[in-house]
Amino acid sequence: MRGLRIAGGLAALCLLAATSAQAADAEALRQLVQTCGACHGADGNSPMPEVPSLAGQPKQFITTQLVMFREGRRLNPVMAALTANISNADINALGGYFAALPAMATSAPQSDGHQQAGRARAEQLNCVQCHGAALKGQQHIPRLAGQQAAYLRIQLQGFKAQTRFDMDGNMTSAAQAMTADDIELLATYLAALP
Ligand code: HEC
Ligand code: HEC
């Protein structure tokens, strides 16, 4: 009888410990997310031209890039400092969190002609083949739809100049065919996509 009661008490204690560990994890994630939100936007949609939105990015893309910042392969002083001591579990949780947030366009569409020209160029240059028909990304390939135009411009110039980190070289080769006019057209076209 007493043995049973003790066993029941122990089981209840274990349950309590498990719940508070989960609560601690949730609180730690909430604090981390708040830090990220200061630059990337509280809802993952960036309010700053040179900071990328994270909302709606494929989880695998977010987690891969965080590891690459942490390992010093993708170079950015701010993101390097922020990821220096981050665990794989936190990276996984952050990836899941931001991937699940709804993405929004960061600028209003320009003329119909501009949108048609942007779409045509994205098809001619095969952007849609890797980034998806709706340019929303897949697996380790980022969402481009709705991304900040200034950020897109900087990254495309970086791939063309071969200074932006590129894990498999695909994006660097894709960027070689782009002229300065293409970069301008695509950056502004993509930023206005839902
Ligand atoms: C002080 C501002 C700042 C904070 C805080 C910040 N970031 Fe960043 N983050 C940036 C900037 C700027 C870039 C773009 C770096 C570049 O140009 O390569 C970036 C890039 C990224 C990227 C790459 C996205 C892409 O589209 O390539 C990811 C993922 C990311 N940050 C996640 C996070 C997470 C998760 C946090 C919170 C733990 C965080 N960031 C906190 C400024 C910040
Ligand atoms: C063969 C596949 C492929 C093609 C074609 C391709 N991309 Fe990419 N793109 C990638 C991959 C993979 C990445 C992630 C690179 C990395 O960080 O390692 C990427 C990254 C990017 C980024 C960085 C976004 C961010 O959030 O950091 C931009 C911008 C981009 N691509 C735009 C384009 C445009 C515009 C085109 C068409 C001209 C294009 N891509 C064609 C595979 C491709």
Side-chain angles (χ1 to χ4, degrees):
M1 211 28 212
R2 182 189 277 171
L4 258 184
R5 223 179 294 143
I6 291 173
L10 272 179
L13 261 182
C14 290
L15 210 71
L16 197 74
T19 336
S20 58
Q22 264 165 22
D25 283 355
E27 176 55 21
L29 178 64
R30 197 188 62 79
Q31 284 179 15
L32 261 178
V33 159
Q34 212 168 27
T35 310
C36 318
C39 294
H40 292 280
D43 63 355
N45 290 286
S46 166
M48 289 192 264
E50 297 186 5
V51 178
S53 289
L54 302 178
Q57 278 293 3
K59 179 179 176 183
Q60 194 186 328
F61 173 71
I62 299 177
T63 56
T64 308
Q65 297 298 317
L66 289 174
V67 170
M68 294 302 136
F69 283 125
R70 186 181 66 186
E71 314 297 317
R73 294 191 55 205
R74 178 166 172 187
L75 300 174
N76 179 263
V78 171
M79 285 308 302
L82 281 162
T83 50
N85 295 311
I86 209 169
S87 68
N88 287 344
D90 284 343
I91 287 182
N92 198 42
L94 286 165
Y97 180 84
F98 284 108
L101 295 178
M104 293 185 303
T106 50
S107 72
Q110 298 186 17
S111 65
D112 287 354
H114 178 264
Q115 281 172 275
Q116 279 154 17
R119 180 71 205 178
R121 209 64 191 120
E123 283 172 9
Q124 285 155 3
L125 292 174
N126 296 327
C127 315
V128 289
Q129 238 118 58
C130 294
H131 291 272
L135 296 152
K136 291 183 179 174
Q138 51 183 333
Q139 297 170 328
H140 67 292
I141 306 178
R143 175 188 182 102
L144 304 176
Q147 190 53 279
Q148 287 283 358
Y151 174 77
L152 290 171
R153 212 177 273 130
I154 294 168
Q155 301 307 311
L156 290 171
Q157 286 159 352
F159 283 119
K160 192 165 159 99
Q162 308 191 13
T163 52
R164 151 81 206 249
F165 164 77
D166 184 4
M167 87 184 96
D168 56 14
N170 275 334
M171 194 49 224
T172 302
S173 21
Q176 299 315 306
M178 300 181 82
T179 64
D181 284 351
D182 287 333
I183 291 179
E184 192 49 36
L185 172 64
L186 285 166
T188 47
Y189 162 71
L190 292 166
L193 286 182

